């Protein structure tokens, strides 16, 4: 796979210091102390000398709010679900090991956000938010490799490295850091405008002064803790070593900017040797490796599912039509690879690429070829169902494919309706907005709407589910319910002002249309609650 970064180099430089960035030399000399005791010299949690949990969370919320609005933020139920499959056991293991205290678990967001970016990168933000670029998901060749990066970043947060750096760098830094990130986002959203340029220039100046970087001690600690977390979570520790190898190989081939993770994590021979020692056979080990506390017997994701998710990330990150064409063309260039995992990866990428190019006949052929790679493990079979759920609605409208596609659609629809997975629910909701009426059996839409209502009641912070509900209500001319669901979606993405605006418009509409009295009182209560919170925020701000 070829990975070339199309983003301006300036932007890459600007965003680096926010992640696990390389150290400017002057600071490095000061930060790196030769022995491990230096870690203990850092402020301990709760000793009053560092950023409090709530301050760090508040800072993270501000940054996350901006990311949710960024056009490069990717809301994809399938990849979200896949990352969650890896993330949940990592977080559980970190809690069980005591790396994440119950308080930290509760106060921080522990939320992953996917960036539509071909570069290989992942990063930790304040307050337990994490960014994962599509390029990373596309590049890894096992779930263990992806888990090794996630576990490393998780450990930067669980060890409070961000809080320690900020404390060290002085009080102005939280705001400097937030403004740098916002500058970076503004630049990515509005490339080549004056605002973006100003943000870049401002951000660079700030970057030069602020030196916000993880020290080598912190990197070592994130490796050590991350390794324990990932192996306890049931992943193969070899993933850490093979990820290192992959990055090292890339660095030899010339780092053209598509591997920012590499620049932020310089591969010192010491770090690599340490990781090799940890993954070596027991007799050669000089570092104790904790036994698995979770005792998982099954890997969280099969190789087949991982291959399909990498293919998905690769195609969703692709911006060039000729490269999409080249991917789609593999459907016609002879038989699929003999290795079923390689075949799945190639056929998945080709089919999704054909869909992005609106080549319906190719899409149908690709789906048929994918179905012929059998038998699939459960998670890969689900991933194939989700691809069909996503792509078949467009084929139902195509003259030549209506017949065969509608037979398959009925089967896929019934399996999705019988499932309780979030991916099925959200993909069903978007399919319903596309499928022509004859493609639906009576009651299907009401069933999906009702299930979304139940889901949002149980998961009120699921912005995508609220948005799906809002779209269904809008399409069926239910403006009050649509405005309410949209408000909740804004709320879940930390946009309190946007939420309030939409709730007030729902209130207005409901009065005008003499809407259900019970719904009206829910709206009134929500408006009061959000107004109260906004007043509190204002008071907090004045205090600071
Ligand atoms: Zn790091």
């Amino acid at each position: 796979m070829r990975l070339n970064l199309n983003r301006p180099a300036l932007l890459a430089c600007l965003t680096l210091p926010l992640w696990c960035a390389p150290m400017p030399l002057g600071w490095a000399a000061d930060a790196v102390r030769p022995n491990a005791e230096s870690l203990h010299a850092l402020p301990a949690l709760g000793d009053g000398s560092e950023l409090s949990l709530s301050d760090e969370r508040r800072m993270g919320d501000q940054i996350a709010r901006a990311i949710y609005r960024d056009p490069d933020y990717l809301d994809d139920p399938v990849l979200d679900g896949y990352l969650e499959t890896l993330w949940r056991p990592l977080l559980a293991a970190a809690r069980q090991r005591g790396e994440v205290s119950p308080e930290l678990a509760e106060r921080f967001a522990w939320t992953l956000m996917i960036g539509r970016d071909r570069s290989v990168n992942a990063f930790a933000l304040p307050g337990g938010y994490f960014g994962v670029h599509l390029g990373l998901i596309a590049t890894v060749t096992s779930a263990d490799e992806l888990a090794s990066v996630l576990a490393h970043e998780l450990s930067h947060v669980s060890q409070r490295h961000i809080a320690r750096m900020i404390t060290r760098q002085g009080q102005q830094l939280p705001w400097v850091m937030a403004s740098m990130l916002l500058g970076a986002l503004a630049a990515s959203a509005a490339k080549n405008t004056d605002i973006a340029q100003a943000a870049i220039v401002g951000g660079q100046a700030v970057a030069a002064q602020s030196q916000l970087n993880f020290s080598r001690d912190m990197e070592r600690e994130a490796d050590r803790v991350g390794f324990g977390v990932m192996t306890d979570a049931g992943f193969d520790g070899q993933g850490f070593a093979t990820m290192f190898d992959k990055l090292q190989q890339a660095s030899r081939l010339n780092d053209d900017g598509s591997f920012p993770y590499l620049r932020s994590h310089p591969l010192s021979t010491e770090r690599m040797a340490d990781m090799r020692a940890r993954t070596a056979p027991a007799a050669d080990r000089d570092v104790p490796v904790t036994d698995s506390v979770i005792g998982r017997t099954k890997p969280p994701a099969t190789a087949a599912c991982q291959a399909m998710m990498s293919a998905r990330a690769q195609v969703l990150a692709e911006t060039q039509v000729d490269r999409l064409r080249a991917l789609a063309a593999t459907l016609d260039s002879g038989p699929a690879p003999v290795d079923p995992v390689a075949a799945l990866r190639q056929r998945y990428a080709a089919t999704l690429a054909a869909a992005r190019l609106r080549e319906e006949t190719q899409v149908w052929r690709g789906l048929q070829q994918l179905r012929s790679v059998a038998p699939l493990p459960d998670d890969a079979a689900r991933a194939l169902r989700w691809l069909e759920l996503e792509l078949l609605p467009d084929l139902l409208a195509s003259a030549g494919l209506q017949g065969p596609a509608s037979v398959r659609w009925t089967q896929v629809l019934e399996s999705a309706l019988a499932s309780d997975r979030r991916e099925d629910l959200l993909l069903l909701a978007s399919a319903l907005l596309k499928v022509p009426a004859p493609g639906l059996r009576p009651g299907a839409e009401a069933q999906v709407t009702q299930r979304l209502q139940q889901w949002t009641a149980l998961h009120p912070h699921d912005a995508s589910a609220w948005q799906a509900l809002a779209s269904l209500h809008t399409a069926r001319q239910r403006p009050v319910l649509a405005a309410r669901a949209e408000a909740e979606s804004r709320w879940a993405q930390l946009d309190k002002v946007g939420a309030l605006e939409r709730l007030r418009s729902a209130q207005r509409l409901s009065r005008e249309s003499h809407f259900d009295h019970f719904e009206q009182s829910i709206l009134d209560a929500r408006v009061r609650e959000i107004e109260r919170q906004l007043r509190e925020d204002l008071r907090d701000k004045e205090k600071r």
Side-chain angles (χ1 to χ4, degrees):
M1 203 181 70
R2 284 159 56 204
L3 275 162
N4 293 313
L5 187 79
N6 297 320
R7 286 215 165 169
L10 262 182
L11 184 59
C13 297
L14 173 65
T15 51
L16 266 173
L18 303 164
W19 310 344
C20 309
M23 277 173 301
L25 287 172
W27 195 63
D30 171 43
V32 179
R33 295 171 218 178
N35 55 50
E37 271 74 47
S38 58
L39 279 179
H40 302 292
L42 292 166
L45 196 65
D47 67 1
S49 62
E50 69 178 26
L51 194 68
S52 73
L53 292 182
S54 43
D55 282 344
E56 190 184 330
R57 174 65 194 268
R58 198 177 298 121
M59 194 194 309
D61 283 352
Q62 279 194 349
I63 298 168
R65 182 164 61 234
I67 292 180
Y68 285 131
R69 283 192 221 142
D70 191 293
D72 280 346
Y73 164 71
L74 178 73
D75 176 17
D76 183 68
V78 175
L79 288 178
D80 280 346
Y82 174 62
L83 287 184
E84 276 300 312
T85 314
L86 312 186
W87 187 240
R88 264 193 309 268
L90 290 173
L91 197 54
R95 291 188 65 166
Q96 207 154 347
R97 289 167 57 91
E99 307 293 353
V100 172
S101 67
E103 194 191 4
L104 196 59
E106 202 199 299
R107 301 282 286 280
F108 276 14
W110 306 108
T111 298
L112 299 176
M113 295 185 284
I114 302 177
R116 204 191 298 268
D117 194 311
R118 291 155 55 87
S119 60
V120 177
N121 205 6
F123 51 93
L125 292 166
Y129 290 98
F130 300 84
V132 179
H133 282 183
L134 283 177
L136 175 70
I137 307 173
T139 300
V140 295
T141 43
S142 72
D144 304 308
E145 287 180 357
L146 189 49
S148 79
V149 177
L150 297 179
H152 174 98
E153 296 304 324
L154 186 154
S155 304
H156 275 313
V157 172
S158 72
Q159 306 313 112
R160 306 279 335 267
H161 289 167
I162 292 174
R164 293 182 197 192
M165 281 191 307
I166 288 169
T167 308
R168 190 169 193 149
Q169 298 287 324
Q171 286 305 308
Q172 86 285 6
L173 210 64
W175 313 113
V176 167
M177 183 168 167
S179 68
M180 279 167 69
L181 221 154
L182 294 176
L185 290 164
S188 76
K191 292 182 182 83
N192 303 325
T193 65
D194 291 346
I195 298 170
Q197 291 305 325
I200 288 172
V201 173
Q204 271 185 326
V206 169
Q209 291 156 17
S210 67
Q211 305 174 340
L212 186 59
N213 308 291
F214 291 132
S215 70
R216 277 182 210 164
D217 278 341
M218 287 174 175
E219 290 303 346
R220 250 197 314 267
E221 192 184 32
D223 281 347
R224 179 178 58 76
V225 174
F227 183 83
V229 165
M230 91 174 270
T231 47
D232 274 13
F235 292 97
D236 184 349
Q238 277 294 333
F240 237 114
T242 53
M243 194 69 211
F244 265 106
D245 287 342
K246 194 159 280 169
L247 292 170
Q248 194 189 26
Q249 221 170 7
S251 78
R252 264 197 236 108
L253 287 174
N254 168 29
D255 177 19
D256 61 352
S258 47
F259 282 79
Y261 196 75
L262 193 63
R263 246 177 295 132
S264 60
H265 288 85
L267 297 166
S268 69
T269 40
E270 181 202 2
R271 267 183 87 198
M272 281 193 284
D274 194 28
M275 274 305 118
R276 292 243 160 67
R278 281 170 204 277
T279 51
D284 303 339
R285 276 184 199 145
D286 55 355
V287 224
V289 175
T290 347
D291 288 334
S292 171
V293 291
I294 302 240
R296 178 189 307 282
T297 48
K298 240 171 61 179
T302 64
C305 177
Q306 187 280 322
M308 291 161 94
M309 293 303 104
S310 281
R312 182 173 183 84
Q314 180 191 6
V315 176
L316 293 184
E318 192 50 77
T319 50
Q320 311 232 343
V321 171
D322 43 345
R323 281 203 287 246
L324 286 174
R325 284 213 184 98
L327 283 171
T330 58
L331 285 170
D332 306 310
S333 62
V338 182
D339 170 26
V341 172
L344 274 174
R345 172 162 188 153
Q346 193 207 62
R347 276 359 193 190
Y348 190 108
T351 309
L352 189 57
R356 287 196 57 198
L357 296 164
R358 300 182 179 279
E359 296 286 351
E360 276 99 4
T361 322
Q362 266 185 324
V363 172
W364 176 244
R365 205 163 54 244
L367 289 177
Q368 282 176 308
Q369 290 186 13
L370 276 166
R371 276 204 303 280
S372 71
V373 184
L376 292 178
D378 286 352
D379 57 355
R382 278 196 299 271
L384 177 53
R385 177 172 81 227
W386 296 331
L387 188 67
E388 293 186 284
L389 204 50
E390 184 182 0
L391 304 185
L392 283 172
D394 286 328
L395 304 192
L396 294 176
S398 143
L401 295 168
Q402 247 162 22
S406 69
V407 173
R408 183 64 198 153
W409 167 250
T410 311
Q411 295 162 348
V412 171
L413 179 69
E414 291 309 321
S415 333
L417 283 169
S419 148
D420 57 1
R421 305 274 308 212
R422 176 180 185 266
E423 293 91 334
D424 282 296
L425 191 53
L426 294 189
L427 290 169
L428 271 172
S430 41
L432 291 185
L433 297 168
K434 289 198 258 174
V435 172
L440 290 178
R441 67 157 165 74
E445 185 175 331
Q447 201 179 331
V448 173
T449 307
Q450 193 196 12
R451 292 244 317 265
L452 272 173
Q453 275 159 341
Q454 289 163 346
W455 179 273
T456 49
L458 287 172
H459 306 94
H461 301 297
D462 191 337
S464 315
W466 280 114
Q467 195 48 55
L469 197 54
S471 305
L472 282 179
H473 285 319
T474 305
R476 305 304 171 233
Q477 273 93 47
R478 295 185 289 254
V480 179
L481 294 175
R484 156 88 206 284
E486 243 177 63
E488 297 299 347
S489 174
R490 292 295 172 121
W491 177 256
Q493 293 194 336
L494 310 162
D495 175 10
K496 295 179 187 172
V497 176
L500 186 60
E501 275 167 14
R502 276 158 190 80
L503 277 176
R504 282 189 178 142
S505 96
Q507 253 182 335
R508 216 174 25 251
L509 288 165
S510 78
R511 286 202 192 102
E512 283 164 16
S513 59
H514 306 288
F515 204 69
D516 179 83
H517 188 71
F518 179 65
E519 287 286 342
Q520 274 194 31
S521 60
I522 293 180
L523 283 173
D524 295 343
R526 283 297 278 149
V527 166
R528 280 196 301 275
E529 165 64 14
I530 294 181
E531 282 173 343
R532 187 188 62 76
Q533 290 221 13
L534 282 168
R535 275 196 304 274
E536 252 175 42
D537 288 355
L538 202 67
R539 265 202 304 275
D540 278 355
K541 219 175 192 171
E542 279 163 4
K543 261 191 246 161
R544 289 200 302 269

